Amino acid sequence: MSSELKAKVSVIVPVLNEARFIESMVTSILSKGYISKEILLVDGGSTDQSKQVIESLILNYPEVVYIENKHKFVSHGFNRAFPISSGKYIAFLGAHALYPDNFFDLAVHLLSTEVCDAVGGPLNQIGRTERGKAIAYSMSHPIGVGNTEFRTLRKKMYVDSLAFAVYKREVFEKIGLLDTDLIRNQDDEFHYRMNASGMKILMVPELECTYYVRDSFTLLFKQYYEYGLYKPLVIKKVKEGMRLRHLIPSVFVLYLLSLPVLLFVSLWFQLPLLIYFLMMLTPSVKYKRPLLEKGYVLFALFTLHISYGLGFLRGLIRLV
């Protein structure tokens, strides 16, 4: 363990208008465990007081580094930060998440002792409002997000992808940095490249992170529309990342668009829609909240599927 304590973790965190949260995030990260850390805060063009807050933190914490990301997007920011980082391990984290106290120590220990190249935990997704709580519940249910392991499972296993992870530095040296063609799904594309190269990503329940979801259906629609929009490009770049769950929402959207014509042929074509709504009722009924909030779950599930499906179809058209 003594050799592990000598290792350093470079924590790369993209920030945008996070003035209210930056100080608590930095002090939280630096106070966790015994592993030496540096924090590279990559600012994507904040218009609040984020830069001033970071500059004041640098005066008190020499471990903090400010990096300006003129391109704004996460992939550009990470790629700018990586050459500046000095850690043996690289943590790529989000500003709106909370991490367990032993996150870095345990991650380094696992990377040193287990057969894996990256490690992280499942997401405990929570909302601040009643709508947000319904959205979080829907994003944690297989009917909402398919078999996305880090959103729906809590067990030690190898996975295709993770939301927040710690990597061996040589992973990036071997397969390259993030793809700047991608505004969304850049982490998925990178993880699929890892999988295609024979590298292993380990999920461990003890590294569970708490993530605050969007609290409005409009923001949820935008988020998942963009996930769908960039997924065809990800699959084109790394064909090994293709999964059945990526296709189902777009097929369902095509079915809905075709339904008025199909019903002229036969009323039996309404059966898939009936089955769909019966499936949606299952998580809604099990949601132990008042009737209105059960309705929020139904609407959240529908939003997840339609937004992703529309985005995926648009992404396919853009590739043609």
Side-chain angles (χ1 to χ4, degrees):
M1 188 70 175
S2 59
S3 61
E4 293 174 11
L5 294 178
K6 295 178 182 178
K8 178 191 277 189
V9 177
S10 293
V11 184
I12 299 176
V13 184
V15 297
L16 179 65
N17 296 328
E18 308 284 1
R20 292 181 298 166
F21 308 105
I22 290 174
E23 184 172 0
S24 59
M25 175 185 65
V26 166
T27 54
S28 174
I29 290 174
L30 291 177
S31 66
K32 292 185 187 304
Y34 302 98
I35 297 291
S36 172
K37 295 177 282 291
E38 64 176 357
I39 305 176
L40 293 86
L41 300 175
V42 188
D43 186 13
S46 295
T47 55
D48 63 358
Q49 298 297 307
S50 291
K51 184 176 181 180
Q52 290 84 345
V53 173
I54 295 171
E55 288 173 344
S56 67
L57 285 169
I58 290 173
L59 296 176
N60 298 312
Y61 300 100
E63 304 95 332
V64 177
V65 178
Y66 171 80
I67 299 173
E68 184 180 8
N69 175 19
K70 293 182 179 179
H71 293 283
K72 297 185 178 181
F73 301 123
V74 169
S75 50
H76 290 90
F78 180 90
N79 292 357
R80 182 167 171 77
F82 181 81
I84 301 171
S85 68
S86 59
K88 180 179 179 182
Y89 302 97
I90 306 294
F92 189 27
L93 306 183
H96 279 194
L98 302 175
Y99 307 93
D101 290 340
N102 65 341
F103 185 82
F104 301 101
D105 290 356
L106 180 56
V108 169
H109 175 68
L110 290 167
L111 287 168
S112 302
T113 59
E114 298 275 356
V115 180
C116 62
D117 303 279
V119 66
L123 283 189
N124 173 30
Q125 300 172 113
I126 62 176
R128 297 180 177 89
T129 65
E130 297 309 324
R131 289 187 182 184
K133 292 172 184 176
I135 289 170
Y137 173 79
S138 302
M139 290 175 64
S140 304
H141 200 285
I143 288 179
V145 293
N147 60 338
T148 306
E149 297 100 343
F150 69 86
R151 293 190 188 275
T152 60
L153 298 177
R154 298 290 183 276
K155 64 179 182 178
K156 184 177 180 180
M157 61 185 297
Y158 291 113
V159 294
D160 293 334
S161 188
L162 285 169
F164 308 116
V166 183
Y167 308 81
K168 295 177 179 177
R169 187 180 191 89
E170 54 262 32
V171 170
F172 301 94
E173 295 170 344
K174 289 178 181 178
I175 68 172
L177 303 180
L178 300 188
D179 192 321
T180 54
D181 289 341
L182 297 166
I183 296 174
R184 289 282 191 186
N185 298 332
Q186 62 277 341
D187 50 350
D188 280 345
E189 188 275 340
F190 183 78
H191 292 150
Y192 296 160
R193 257 191 287 151
M194 286 183 65
N195 298 331
S197 300
M199 298 181 180
K200 294 185 177 295
I201 303 169
L202 182 65
M203 182 172 75
V204 180
E206 290 78 10
L207 292 178
E208 180 180 82
C209 305
T210 297
Y211 172 73
Y212 293 97
V213 305
R214 274 70 167 170
D215 278 327
S216 83
F217 295 120
T218 300
L219 292 177
L220 179 66
F221 185 96
K222 182 177 184 293
Q223 178 187 13
Y224 269 77
Y225 177 84
E226 291 179 349
Y227 283 159
L229 181 64
Y230 286 94
K231 185 60 73 173
L233 181 58
V234 170
I235 295 170
K236 180 181 178 181
K237 289 173 176 287
V238 190
K239 293 180 176 57
E240 291 85 351
M242 181 69 176
R243 300 291 183 271
L244 180 61
R245 68 172 182 266
H246 300 149
L247 301 177
I248 292 175
S250 57
V251 173
F252 179 63
V253 168
L254 287 175
Y255 161 74
L256 289 180
L257 293 173
S258 306
L259 190 57
V261 175
L262 293 174
L263 289 178
F264 277 109
V265 178
S266 173
L267 293 179
W268 283 105
F269 281 110
Q270 66 186 321
L271 186 59
L273 186 60
L274 177 61
I275 294 172
Y276 172 79
F277 278 112
L278 289 174
M279 287 177 57
M280 296 304 102
L281 282 174
T282 302
S284 178
V285 169
K286 290 183 177 180
Y287 189 53
K288 299 179 179 179
R289 301 293 297 170
L291 185 61
L292 177 62
E293 294 169 37
K294 291 180 184 291
Y296 289 158
V297 170
L298 276 176
F299 196 73
L301 292 169
F302 189 71
T303 300
L304 287 169
H305 301 155
I306 297 302
S307 59
Y308 189 96
L310 286 171
F312 194 94
L313 291 173
R314 173 85 184 282
L316 284 177
I317 293 170
R318 284 170 51 167
L319 291 181
V320 175

